[in-house]
Amino acid sequence: MACLMRSRRRDAEGPTAYGKRPTLARRQPIRPKSTRFCDNMPLHPCHILAMTPHLYTASIPVFQRYLRQLHALIDIAEALPADLGILHARIAPDMLPFTVQMEIAANFALRACYPLANRAVPPYGDFEPGFDGLRARFNHVANLLAELPPSDFFGAEQRQIEDQAGQAKLNLPGEMFLFQYALPNFFFHATAAYTLLRRAGAAIGKGDFDGFHVYAAAA
């Protein structure tokens, strides 16, 4: 038995059956120091979230995280060759360009969270076209989200929320509005922007999208 245990320990410490164990390396988005995204954005430890309203924990921290991830993608987009025209790139002729996909994703965070907090959606703001304008928009949205206290979300599940979905007028209870409409639409536009970067040749992966995944570096 002792010999078997030593053998297993050597196997665990040595090479795998497929050769040397891979070294994991996280892809690091290009992040110039001058464009840091809302360093004062509050973090939400689990013990704090456990005491907050259900739809607050399901909205504000989620939007804050993925707005931060999208903000990092702006730097990656700007680093692409200018002749690719990424700002105006479209997945298909009848789809919106990269810039608008990013703008709508950012604005959807406000369209979702402010009605849930029983507040009017604030102005989205006017920003110059281009990468700096996108950065300014994302910082603007992040600052507005940080102004919403958890207490405003009590009772949000029962609030009837109106929104315009294309040519359709919606009137949904808060929980359905967030989970079946607002969050899916936010991620639709975020994914469209990510897809355009991948198609343009940006060296990004799932970890750049969600900030969680880490994969072995390509050989």
Side-chain angles (χ1 to χ4, degrees):
M1 178 63 71
C3 293
L4 178 59
M5 292 178 66
R6 284 196 297 271
S7 175
R8 288 178 176 174
R9 186 160 53 248
R10 285 195 299 270
D11 290 343
E13 294 172 352
T16 66
Y18 299 98
K20 187 177 180 180
R21 292 182 179 276
T23 300
L24 297 182
R26 178 184 289 276
R27 296 174 185 267
Q28 293 295 332
I30 303 168
R31 299 191 184 193
K33 293 182 179 180
S34 60
T35 60
R36 297 177 70 182
F37 179 59
C38 288
D39 291 337
N40 61 346
M41 182 181 292
L43 299 177
H44 299 276
C46 292
H47 70 280
I48 294 177
L49 294 181
M51 299 182 290
T52 56
H54 168 53
L55 292 191
Y56 179 91
T57 63
S59 59
I60 294 290
V62 177
F63 285 117
Q64 287 176 332
R65 178 181 190 87
Y66 284 92
L67 287 171
R68 187 182 295 111
Q69 296 303 119
L70 289 175
H71 185 273
L73 294 184
I74 299 171
D75 298 333
I76 294 174
E78 189 173 24
L80 292 171
D83 59 359
L84 291 177
I86 186 62
L87 289 173
H88 308 291
R90 301 170 185 259
I91 296 175
D94 62 345
M95 293 188 70
L96 297 170
F98 175 84
T99 299
V100 181
Q101 299 286 2
M102 293 284 278
E103 290 174 354
I104 295 177
N107 294 342
F108 242 107
L110 301 179
R111 289 171 63 178
C113 295
Y114 268 74
L116 289 172
N118 203 26
R119 298 192 187 192
V121 177
Y124 298 141
D126 293 321
F127 300 94
E128 295 183 0
F131 298 110
D132 287 339
L134 282 176
R135 292 187 185 98
R137 179 180 299 277
F138 274 73
N139 283 317
H140 171 71
V141 170
N143 289 330
L144 289 173
L145 291 182
E147 294 178 3
L148 296 177
S151 58
D152 283 5
F153 287 74
F154 282 113
E157 293 86 350
Q158 287 75 42
R159 290 186 183 125
Q160 289 297 124
I161 298 177
E162 296 181 355
D163 200 78
Q164 191 78 23
Q167 298 177 349
K169 292 184 178 181
L170 304 181
N171 191 320
L172 302 172
E175 192 163 33
M176 180 181 291
F177 171 78
L178 177 63
F179 292 127
Q180 298 188 33
Y181 173 68
L183 282 172
N185 272 275
F186 171 82
F187 283 110
F188 173 88
H189 293 286
T191 302
Y194 174 89
T195 300
L196 284 164
L197 289 179
R198 281 303 306 263
R199 195 173 71 171
I204 55 176
K206 190 184 290 186
D208 296 284
F209 185 84
D210 67 10
F212 289 114
H213 283 77
V214 179
Y215 293 102

